[in-house]
Amino acid sequence: MNILSSSKHQLFCWKVRDLDLQLHACAYSLHSQPFKTTLNTPPFYLFRLQVLGRSLALVDGAMRSIEPGDLLMYRPGDSYMLQIDEHNGVTESGDYYLLCEGSWVEQWWNKVERSTYQRVHLNDGIVSLWQQLSIEQHRMEKSQTELIQHLLCALCLSIDRSSAQALSSEGIPSRTNQIVNSMKRYIEHHALGPLRIEDVADEAGLSVSRAVHLFKEVLGYTMIQYTQEIRLSNALERIRYTDWSLEHIARSCGFGTYSHFHKLFKEKYGFTPKAVRTHPPHSRLWDDLKTRLNYEHPVSGVTTDARKYFNSTR
């Protein structure tokens, strides 16, 4: 680790208390019906992370398909449009979003050249930080402004780390990157249905052994781990936000049997699917999970300025 670089990041984060930094809104948004915003220009920095389903968003002047793991970042004044349509007979889109402003985030933004669109791995700390920000922003008691500022600082620096990791992969031959990315996309598109490693290998034009080795070598995790992560995260969302039976959720998320789903779910989250389903959203269990919360009254964590912006998008 570069100690000097690490120290600079620490100083940059801890100086937040001396800088202007405000979080206007932070929450999880779930759409199960077609949705479309009007073309507008947010007066804040707008971050949006797709974690479930699909959507379309305006990126560099054109509408682009957005899938789980896609992070969008807009500066104040950038044009923004979001559209959610039916896909393969299902309308479903879940995302974390936040609106913020201040000299700290402006300074952070200008440190490097930033793109509106980038990919992040949903296993990393970005999702957990976003969840915690949402929790703190929606607390009914007096908000901990300094804690929220530091969490937002940490989220921004985690985005930098994710970008740096993506750049570090540029040393890998471009053809290898293309092959691995094609396998990732195939898994993301087919994870919730029947999926075999042989199918992924065929998509990349490789033998099974070569595909398995290359995927793990480049990404650091296996195809099975990646597929299970997508399936379990989707299952957790559907347990929380739908009234589907647990057996139906297991099938809809690509698990062949409920017993297999039950085993993997408990191993990952420490609770059974039934325990998660039966506990109310304000219970300690959900706090422990740090799950993707969708508050019943999100307005409690939204500033007046952010509310004006939301009203302008209707």
Side-chain angles (χ1 to χ4, degrees), residues 119-259:
R119 290 285 297 170
V120 300
H121 186 30
L122 294 181
N123 271 345
D124 64 22
I126 290 178
V127 173
S128 296
L129 284 168
W130 218 309
Q131 293 165 355
Q132 192 62 36
L133 262 179
S134 183
I135 291 171
E136 295 300 329
Q137 183 75 354
H138 291 81
R139 288 193 186 278
M140 298 303 294
E141 64 268 21
K142 185 178 180 180
S143 63
Q144 297 291 324
T145 301
E146 189 172 328
L147 175 58
I148 289 174
Q149 289 175 330
H150 281 88
L151 286 170
L152 181 53
C153 168
L155 176 62
C156 291
L157 296 180
S158 293
I159 290 172
D160 281 344
R161 180 178 63 184
S162 178
S163 299
Q165 290 172 342
L167 288 173
S168 68
S169 67
E170 292 182 354
I172 302 172
S174 59
R175 175 58 180 162
T176 299
N177 272 333
Q178 292 172 5
I179 292 173
V180 172
N181 285 333
S182 73
M183 289 192 285
K184 278 192 68 178
R185 287 194 298 269
Y186 188 87
I187 292 172
E188 291 161 359
H189 291 166
H190 297 86
L192 302 189
L195 178 65
R196 303 180 308 157
I197 292 179
E198 291 85 352
D199 299 329
V200 183
D202 287 344
E203 173 70 13
L206 302 174
S207 67
V208 170
S209 60
R210 178 58 180 159
V212 168
H213 173 77
L214 195 63
F215 194 94
K216 176 67 181 298
E217 180 183 42
V218 172
L219 298 176
Y221 46 86
T222 68
M223 293 184 196
I224 293 176
Q225 289 173 324
Y226 189 53
T227 303
Q228 287 181 353
E229 185 66 26
I230 294 172
R231 289 173 172 176
L232 288 170
S233 62
N234 274 270
L236 185 61
E237 295 290 340
R238 294 176 186 188
I239 290 172
R240 174 66 179 91
Y241 300 114
T242 76
D243 58 1
W244 295 352
S245 71
L246 297 177
E247 290 78 9
H248 178 67
I249 289 174
R251 292 194 302 272
S252 71
C253 291
F255 295 97
T257 65
Y258 179 76
S259 60

Side-chain angles (χ1 to χ4, degrees), residues 23-29 96-98 130-144 148 151 293-303 310:
L23 181 65
H24 284 283
C26 181
Y28 177 81
S29 177
Y96 286 102
Y97 68 88
L98 66 83
W130 218 309
Q131 293 165 355
Q132 192 62 36
L133 262 179
S134 183
I135 291 171
E136 295 300 329
Q137 183 75 354
H138 291 81
R139 288 193 186 278
M140 298 303 294
E141 64 268 21
K142 185 178 180 180
S143 63
Q144 297 291 324
I148 289 174
L151 286 170
L293 296 176
N294 182 22
Y295 293 88
E296 295 299 327
H297 304 287
V299 71
S300 65
V302 179
T303 66
F310 289 142

Side-chain angles (χ1 to χ4, degrees), residues 15-66:
K15 283 174 62 181
V16 67
R17 70 180 61 189
D18 300 321
L19 295 175
D20 173 36
L21 180 63
Q22 183 177 7
L23 181 65
H24 284 283
C26 181
Y28 177 81
S29 177
L30 179 68
H31 295 275
S32 57
Q33 299 294 329
F35 173 83
K36 183 177 181 180
T37 66
T38 55
L39 183 65
N40 59 91
T41 55
F44 317 108
Y45 289 91
L46 167 61
F47 298 175
R48 182 183 184 277
L49 177 61
Q50 188 85 20
V51 296
L52 176 69
R54 291 174 173 80
S55 63
L56 294 170
L58 187 66
V59 176
D60 299 328
M63 296 300 286
R64 175 171 183 159
S65 178
I66 306 300

